[in-house]
Amino acid sequence: MGEFTHVTVLLQEAVEALQVKQGGVYLDGTLGGGGHTEAILRQSGPDGVVYGIDRDWDALRAAGERLAAFGERLKPLHGNFHDAKALLAAQGVAQLDGVVLDLGVSSFQFDEGERGFSFQEDAYLDMRMDQSCGRTAADLCNTLTQEELTRIIRDYGEERWAARIAAFILQAREKKPVETTGEL
């Protein structure tokens, strides 16, 4: 697996909008490569804290390494930003001074063929942000009904040809399970 890299978009604008203050407590609900978190830690020093949530263990590891110089001021948490309230409560955090969410998939997930997000390399069809839980895209392609596949492709992929694509998936899996990005 390669090095986790991600170009943070709108970094200055996002951090400026937070109005970061020294000693503040912040949440980066999508820690990723740690770009926003690094800027917040710098501006909130010497005692500001950032809780960084990510579903991707590789992202947590990489951000921890990248931001090691900030020591205990970085509080990485494994999970989904949807569960931020419970994750923060478990840490004893009752109030935040600001929150940032950089939603989407990072370039790392696309660049690493083994993650199964990209068609640039034929690899196992995984597509999970957290590879330690949940069903893979291959599982879904091979078990869901045409209607369920259509809904997922339409709602999450914003694909106008979702029904047609779902029909092709069902047709392909009649011959053999759809298991790789190339097959999909």
Side-chain angles (χ1 to χ4, degrees), residues 25-48:
V25 178
Y26 298 90
L27 170 66
D28 184 344
T30 50
L31 181 59
H36 287 110
T37 294
E38 180 177 16
I40 296 166
L41 286 167
R42 287 190 191 288
Q43 288 187 26
S44 66
D47 55 351

Side-chain angles (χ1 to χ4, degrees), residues 2-150:
E3 180 182 340
F4 191 105
T5 58
H6 176 70
V7 177
T8 306
V9 296
L10 299 172
L11 175 63
Q12 295 304 96
E13 296 85 349
V15 175
E16 185 177 304
L18 281 176
Q19 299 179 2
V20 176
K21 62 183 181 182
Q22 286 186 347
V25 178
Y26 298 90
L27 170 66
D28 184 344
T30 50
L31 181 59
H36 287 110
T37 294
E38 180 177 16
I40 296 166
L41 286 167
R42 287 190 191 288
Q43 288 187 26
S44 66
D47 55 351
V49 174
V50 177
Y51 289 85
I53 299 173
D54 209 291
R55 296 175 68 178
D56 188 331
W57 285 107
D58 291 329
L60 287 169
R61 177 195 48 75
E65 290 171 6
R66 174 183 179 181
L67 304 172
F70 293 99
E72 294 297 313
R73 295 180 54 216
L74 170 65
K75 308 288 187 184
L77 303 172
H78 179 252
N80 187 327
F81 66 84
H82 179 268
D83 302 316
K85 186 174 181 178
L87 290 167
L88 292 169
Q91 299 294 314
V93 179
Q95 186 172 338
L96 296 168
D97 293 300
V99 175
V100 65
L101 297 171
D102 182 3
L103 302 176
V105 180
S106 77
S107 50
F108 174 78
Q109 276 99 14
F110 284 130
D111 293 344
E112 289 294 314
E114 65 194 56
R115 298 300 298 262
F117 282 101
S118 175
F119 299 107
Q120 293 177 354
E121 184 178 324
D122 192 22
Y124 181 71
L125 189 57
D126 192 319
M127 293 189 177
R128 293 175 296 167
M129 298 300 282
D130 180 350
Q131 293 181 304
S132 68
C133 65
R135 297 169 69 191
T136 66
D139 294 334
L140 299 177
C141 283
N142 292 301
T143 61
L144 295 182
T145 66
Q146 184 171 344
E147 293 76 25
E148 291 169 319
L149 284 170
T150 298

